Amino acid sequence: MKLYSYFRSSASYRVRIALQLKGLPYDYLPVHLVQGEQLQADYASAQGDALVPRLQTDDGALLSQSLAIIEYLEEAYPQSPRLLPSAPLARAQVRALAQMVACEIHPLNNLRVLRYLVHDMHSSEEAKTAWYQHWVRSGLQAFERQLALLAQERAQAGLAPSRYCWGDAPTLADCCLLPQLYNADRFGVPCADLPHILAVQAACQQLPAFARAHPSACPDAA
């Protein structure tokens, strides 16, 4: 497989984590978003939204959108570890957590939005940073509340406390949360009062797969 990626793209980071957790080999092909390489004809012509990540499968098919790519990997390579629980309710809960990041937090703060704020809306760098911090902070607070509610549900059902977002192994939700925390740290978003999130982060950071997927480990890291 081939992964078209940018080291600081949190969507690409999600897919890298999933590939590393499943132990799937792939070639890393950098696409520099800041320099606009995703808009070059040879890249943009093969994908409607001209974004990263893009995964080229072993049979040459091209896939876009991080959650769709990860679910493809889950279905095409069902070997352990599984990134979605087997029980339908738990699967829905994990998907909901993942979508809180990928559909609620991230779209407001990706590179295209931040550039539009500065170049088209003429926002100052200070205003751009305040925008980023506000929406990431409020989104992570909501994620923290959801983790607390899920912890209560597990306790009521007689289940052991979760070590990760859900259960005792990383899931799709952890693949989404850790990249968002990386970017939150870059922009100075305070997270010290989010104990459930910090516990999940600490657990994930102990796993080699997360270290291998980290932006600092990417070939195009600057």
Side-chain angles (χ1 to χ4, degrees), residues 16-181:
R16 296 198 304 267
I17 293 171
L19 287 164
Q20 292 292 346
L21 284 170
K22 285 188 168 290
L24 298 173
Y26 65 96
D27 293 331
Y28 185 104
L29 301 176
V31 179
H32 203 298
L33 299 186
V34 176
Q35 296 178 5
E37 291 181 356
Q38 75 278 15
L39 302 176
Q40 294 177 2
D42 59 343
Y43 185 83
S45 63
Q47 182 176 317
D49 54 17
L51 299 173
V52 294
R54 178 194 293 170
L55 183 75
Q56 181 175 322
T57 67
D58 285 333
D59 58 6
L62 293 175
L63 297 174
S64 62
Q65 293 297 324
S66 61
L67 297 190
I69 292 172
I70 295 172
E71 293 226 20
Y72 163 79
L73 295 173
E74 178 75 348
E75 294 172 6
Y77 303 93
Q79 68 265 32
S80 295
R82 300 304 303 264
L83 300 178
L84 286 167
S86 58
L89 178 59
R91 290 170 76 89
Q93 289 168 326
V94 166
R95 284 189 172 111
L97 287 170
Q99 290 171 21
M100 288 181 75
V101 175
C103 303
E104 301 294 338
I105 303 175
H106 178 245
L108 287 165
N109 299 286
N110 64 26
L111 180 61
R112 292 182 300 163
V113 170
L114 298 181
R115 278 183 162 174
Y116 184 80
L117 287 173
V118 173
H119 298 299
D120 295 84
M121 300 299 291
H122 307 295
S123 299
S124 66
E125 286 294 322
E126 292 77 11
K128 180 193 77 172
T129 299
W131 166 281
Y132 188 100
Q133 292 175 338
H134 170 78
W135 291 114
V136 172
R137 169 73 177 167
S138 62
L140 290 177
Q141 286 175 317
F143 198 99
E144 174 74 15
R145 290 192 296 271
Q146 189 63 18
L147 289 183
L149 290 170
L150 290 175
Q152 293 175 13
E153 290 183 21
R154 289 182 68 90
Q156 292 168 0
L159 298 174
S162 290
R163 176 171 171 79
Y164 300 93
C165 284
W166 178 260
D168 58 0
T171 64
L172 174 64
D174 303 277
C175 292
C176 290
L177 178 61
L178 268 288
Q180 188 61 67
L181 293 176

